[in-house]
Amino acid sequence: MTRGKWHLNLTLATVIPLAVIVLSFLGGAPLHTLLSLIVVWSIFAIGFDLIFGLTGIISFGHAAFFGIGAYAYAVLTLSWGVSEGVALLAAILFGTVLGALFGIVSLRISGIYFGLTTLIMAEMVNHLIAIKLKRWTGGTDGLAGVSRPEILGLNVYDDHIYLMLLVLVFWLVLLGAAVLRASAYGQVLSAIRQNPVRAEQLGYDVSMYKCSAFAISGGVSGLAGALLGGLIYYVGPQMTHWATSGDVLIMTVLGGRGTFAGPVVGVALFEFLREGVGDISDHWHGLLGLIFIAVTLWMPGGVVGLIQERVRRRRALRAELRRATIRTEGAT
């Protein structure tokens, strides 16, 4: 990673949370709820893009990590009386362990069968939560009354204050993502995405790196699930449903897979479209599907990818004009 890109990522990691804070003062409770949803889903999308964008692995089962984090947090706080802070750490741990398990099992298979395997495993988790473990999970009814993680004695049941707490976590996740992308570990993951055979020839244990990426991705996704449970005071089996994996996939592609800000931009567009179209029609998923198809066909790099391509072309044009000017001056 170039120094300029590293500095850009660090800048974005600070500017994006600050922009959310500024926007939060422009509206009341409805805006605070919308921004909170965008922040939580952005954390989930960042975790997902670690696998999908950075490492180049397509997963249809990330809802399992998202949901297991939410249920771990809810069950521990509601049934076991565990403090919210400890339960939040447990949610990360559960997501990490489940992510590693998915990696160990699924990475034995390649191609489309890998994606299908992650989907099948996620549906198994969904079945366990909705049916087999309903004594603890509440079955198809889910668990209501989930508490919010408290910090410094603040009233986190004030939506604005809870949003500020979410922004703090969001900022830490963005910083972590920036550091990971710039690290030697992140560069190896990028090399695996580009050419796994070549990476293995260079002596890297590709399977180990992929499995560890799954574990980290699962931990971040589990954190997002727990935060969402606190935000809406509820967790349900739909959090582990395949449609949730589809939503985060669409968000990431819409914003730009593999780009630092892409997942956040995709989540924001997705949520604003859902709010806007949802007020007009109940079939907002259909419109989003059409938009997703259009993006895939004509804008495969997503919104951020398109912006980056335009910037690269403009810089190349300026460089060519500069060289032409130098040649002309030299000739005269």
Side-chain angles (χ1 to χ4, degrees):
M1 177 178 289
T2 63
R3 184 180 297 272
K5 196 169 185 179
W6 159 244
H7 288 162
L8 175 62
N9 288 349
L10 280 182
T11 302
L12 289 173
T14 303
V15 169
I16 293 174
L18 286 177
V20 176
I21 293 174
V22 171
L23 286 173
S24 71
F25 287 99
L26 302 180
L31 179 61
H32 297 158
T33 301
L34 177 60
L35 290 175
S36 296
L37 286 172
I38 290 174
V39 167
V40 169
W41 277 92
S42 292
I43 295 173
F44 184 21
I46 290 169
F48 174 73
D49 195 55
L50 173 63
I51 286 291
F52 182 46
L54 186 60
T55 315
I57 303 173
I58 180 64
S59 169
F60 297 122
H62 260 62
F65 315 143
F66 187 65
I68 201 69
Y71 271 100
Y73 178 81
V75 171
L76 288 174
T77 53
L78 291 176
S79 301
W80 294 79
V82 176
S83 66
E84 288 82 0
V86 175
L88 204 60
L89 294 176
I92 299 173
L93 178 62
F94 272 76
T96 301
V97 172
L98 188 62
L101 179 61
F102 267 51
I104 292 171
V105 175
S106 302
L107 290 172
R108 299 175 180 272
I109 309 168
S110 60
I112 187 62
Y113 299 106
F114 169 83
L116 292 175
T117 301
T118 60
L119 175 61
I120 292 169
M121 294 180 68
E123 286 302 293
M124 290 174 60
V125 172
N126 178 263
H127 179 74
L128 286 172
I129 287 176
I131 306 298
K132 297 297 183 180
L133 302 177
K134 62 181 181 181
R135 175 182 175 183
W136 295 280
T137 64
T140 56
D141 294 329
L143 297 172
V146 179
S147 58
R148 292 178 173 179
E150 298 184 13
I151 182 172
L152 301 176
L154 297 174
N155 178 23
V156 292
Y157 294 96
D158 181 300
D159 288 339
H160 197 187
I161 294 178
Y162 189 62
L163 172 59
M164 295 300 102
L165 174 60
L166 293 177
V167 170
L168 174 61
V169 177
F170 182 40
W171 176 61
L172 294 175
V173 170
L174 283 170
L175 285 178
V179 172
L180 187 147
R181 285 173 176 272
S183 67
Y185 174 78
Q187 296 304 299
V188 173
L189 293 182
S190 181
I192 290 172
R193 182 194 72 244
Q194 297 172 32
N195 193 329
V197 176
R198 179 60 175 162
E200 191 166 11
Q201 290 173 344
L202 290 173
Y204 296 108
D205 189 337
V206 173
S207 296
M208 186 275 290
Y209 273 94
K210 287 183 176 180
C211 188
S212 62
F214 250 102
I216 297 172
S217 180
V220 176
S221 301
L223 169 64
L227 293 174
L228 180 63
L231 174 64
I232 63 176
Y233 309 110
Y234 171 80
V235 300
Q238 66 272 18
M239 287 183 170
T240 59
H241 194 262
W242 63 266
T244 301
S245 296
D247 283 347
V248 75
L249 172 63
I250 292 174
M251 292 171 178
T252 307
V253 172
L254 184 60
R257 60 173 291 193
T259 61
F260 183 75
V264 180
V265 172
V267 169
L269 289 174
F270 187 96
E271 290 295 336
F272 279 115
L273 283 170
R274 175 157 58 183
E275 289 294 321
V277 180
D279 292 337
I280 302 172
S281 171
D282 293 332
H283 305 291
W284 60 270
H285 255 115
L287 178 59
L288 281 175
L290 293 176
I291 294 174
F292 179 68
I293 293 172
V295 169
T296 304
L297 291 176
W298 293 292
M299 206 165 52
V303 173
V304 174
L306 178 64
I307 295 173
Q308 290 178 340
E309 181 62 27
R310 292 289 177 86
V311 171
R312 280 194 294 266
R313 287 182 180 180
R314 182 168 296 181
R315 287 178 177 174
L317 179 59
R318 287 178 178 175
E320 183 61 30
L321 290 174
R322 192 178 300 112
R323 286 193 294 267
T325 302
I326 293 173
R327 287 195 297 266
T328 303
E329 292 176 351
T332 58

